[in-house]
Amino acid sequence: MKNLQDLVRPNIWALKPYSCARDEFKGVKADVFIDANENPYPNGVNRYPDPLQEQLKQMISPMKSVPVDNIFLGNGSDEAIDLPFRIFCRPGVDNVVAIDPTYGMYEVCADVNDVEYRKVSLDENFDMNPEALLAACDENTKIIFICSPNNPTGNAFSRDKIEKVIAEFQGIVIVDEAYSDFSAQKPLRCDISKYPNLIVLATFSKAWGAAGIRLGMAFASTEIIGLFNKVKYPYNVNVLTQKKAQEILGNVTLLQRHISMILEERETLVKAMALLPVCKKVYETDANFILARMTDANGIYKYLVKKGVIVRNRNNVHLCGDCLRFTVGTKDENTKLLGALRQYV
């Protein structure tokens, strides 16, 4: 990769970050806090949160096999997606490259930051072409986005193909592993020490069952994590989110049981869906959802809404004509879905 300073926007490299009150006394024992203009009367949330979420990172580190210094926590994965645009991409000048179709927030963040977003189509089997991704880049390409397992297609790409892109691209490669807990493939977060230009995203919203607390993760070199912490808002993860995340991490057995149940239901749902007259094809999946090509995606989607079953209509997405995306629900939810589809005429 290029020298990191050459990739970072000059104003960001020179930026002097806001200094939190909690940063200034780090490592010092104190029992009187009259520095941050807080209400002094305890109610559980009267104090500002730890700006770097140290205790929470200490719990995440062994679970994800990533050192604390290589972890960034943000307000959902959306913050971890947006920050690289603000750090590396000059508005109106630089561009990013991404597979297509994929998660829509990459393009939204590009548009918000006035950064050109270049799409490279997957093939008819939803597989990616590393050479095509690299060929779409030029001297102003700062980031390549790869979601694996991919949303909305559900498939994971081979590590060899992803690693080829990481090794040959001179800029930053972001691999979004939001669904990796449902995949048998070894996650790339374990290789951040090998690739200084790699950022790996993860989330509490999927396998960890905590979409409501809005907590995202990014794993990268200490230098890149330092840039994230430099640019982020001072107290980006609130006290309640940090406490709830620690509570969730305290019950790993429940987390693992839920993942196993979802994988079991996924297999059942895939087999049952393939037998339905309204289903033309069920695509292979490494995620907690399935993508299926239907006889009439729009009509079936509207029918399911009337039945009180909400799914995701992907009919207008590139390569996904007449496709619906079905999240793997509970046994009862999946039974209701399949029952409704069997009655569709």
Side-chain angles (χ1 to χ4, degrees):
M1 63 176 285
K2 292 180 180 177
N3 182 281
L4 187 61
Q5 184 173 354
D6 294 333
L7 292 173
V8 176
R9 291 168 55 185
N11 64 303
I12 298 299
W13 190 264
L15 177 69
K16 182 179 180 181
Y18 176 80
S19 178
C20 300
R22 295 300 175 261
D23 284 331
E24 293 171 1
F25 70 83
K26 186 176 180 180
V28 176
K29 282 190 174 183
D31 56 9
V32 176
F33 299 98
I34 51 175
D35 59 314
N37 303 334
E38 301 154 321
N39 187 314
Y41 299 106
N43 62 5
V45 292
N46 62 306
R47 298 296 183 184
Y48 284 111
D50 175 3
L52 294 177
Q53 312 91 31
E54 295 288 354
Q55 289 186 357
L56 181 52
K57 288 177 181 177
Q58 290 287 350
M59 296 180 72
I60 292 172
S61 176
M63 288 195 66
K64 291 295 187 180
S65 300
V66 177
V68 169
D69 290 343
N70 298 110
I71 301 174
F72 168 82
L73 299 181
N75 184 3
S77 291
D78 294 341
E79 182 177 9
I81 292 168
D82 182 61
L83 281 175
F85 283 96
R86 294 160 58 191
I87 292 169
F88 298 107
C89 299
R90 296 167 296 174
V93 177
D94 293 326
N95 66 78
V96 301
V97 169
I99 57 174
D100 185 38
T102 194
Y103 182 43
M105 274 305 297
Y106 312 145
E107 185 171 9
V108 170
C109 286
D111 290 342
V112 168
N113 288 281
D114 191 22
V115 173
E116 180 188 357
Y117 185 82
R118 298 181 177 181
K119 301 178 182 181
V120 177
S121 179
L122 301 177
D123 65 20
E124 64 275 7
N125 297 314
F126 297 143
D127 199 6
M128 77 170 194
N129 183 333
E131 289 79 12
L133 272 176
L134 293 166
C137 302
D138 60 23
E139 66 275 8
N140 289 328
T141 305
K142 291 295 185 66
I143 302 170
I144 294 178
F145 281 95
I146 301 173
C147 185
S148 181
N150 189 34
N151 178 13
T153 60
N155 58 310
F157 304 113
S158 77
R159 280 178 62 94
D160 288 346
K161 291 185 176 181
I162 298 175
E163 288 181 312
K164 177 180 176 63
V165 174
I166 299 170
E168 296 187 17
F169 182 52
Q170 293 297 300
I172 302 297
V173 178
I174 299 178
V175 179
D176 191 340
E177 293 186 336
Y179 301 96
S180 65
D181 292 295
F182 306 104
S183 174
Q185 189 174 102
K186 180 185 176 183
L188 274 155
R189 68 171 182 271
C190 300
D191 292 328
I192 54 174
S193 61
K194 182 179 177 182
Y195 297 113
N197 62 329
L198 173 63
I199 299 173
V200 177
L201 306 181
T203 179
F204 272 71
S205 296
K206 312 302 180 186
W208 297 38
I213 69 172
R214 306 308 303 131
L215 184 60
M217 296 170 274
F219 310 109
S221 69
T222 55
E223 292 79 11
I224 290 177
I225 296 300
L227 290 166
F228 271 62
N229 291 331
K230 189 178 188 181
V231 175
K232 77 175 183 69
Y233 292 120
Y235 303 108
N236 61 323
V237 180
N238 67 69
V239 170
L240 299 178
T241 290
Q242 293 189 43
K243 287 182 178 179
K244 187 62 180 179
Q246 291 179 52
E247 178 186 322
I248 292 167
L249 289 169
N251 196 347
V252 178
T253 301
L254 180 63
L255 167 67
Q256 293 172 337
R257 185 164 82 243
H258 283 169
I259 293 174
S260 296
M261 292 168 65
I262 290 170
L263 292 176
E264 184 178 337
E265 281 298 309
R266 184 180 75 182
E267 183 178 357
T268 300
L269 188 59
V270 166
K271 291 178 179 177
M273 189 74 68
L275 297 175
L276 296 174
V278 295
C279 181
K280 292 182 177 180
K281 181 175 182 177
V282 179
Y283 292 94
E284 292 186 10
T285 180
D286 297 281
N288 68 330
F289 61 85
I290 64 173
L291 186 73
R293 197 172 299 276
M294 314 300 284
T295 54
D296 176 17
N298 289 339
I300 295 169
Y301 173 79
K302 293 176 182 177
Y303 162 79
L304 288 173
V305 170
K306 291 180 180 179
K307 290 286 187 177
V309 179
I310 309 302
V311 302
R312 194 79 153 109
N313 189 351
R314 303 284 75 188
N315 180 53
N316 294 324
V317 173
H318 176 60
L319 298 180
C320 296
D322 263 333
C323 284
L324 297 178
R325 193 190 70 193
F326 304 91
T327 303
V328 179
T330 64
K331 186 180 291 291
D332 288 344
E333 289 172 330
N334 297 333
T335 297
K336 183 175 180 180
L337 165 67
L338 293 168
L341 289 173
R342 291 187 182 106
Q343 296 172 20
Y344 181 79
V345 291

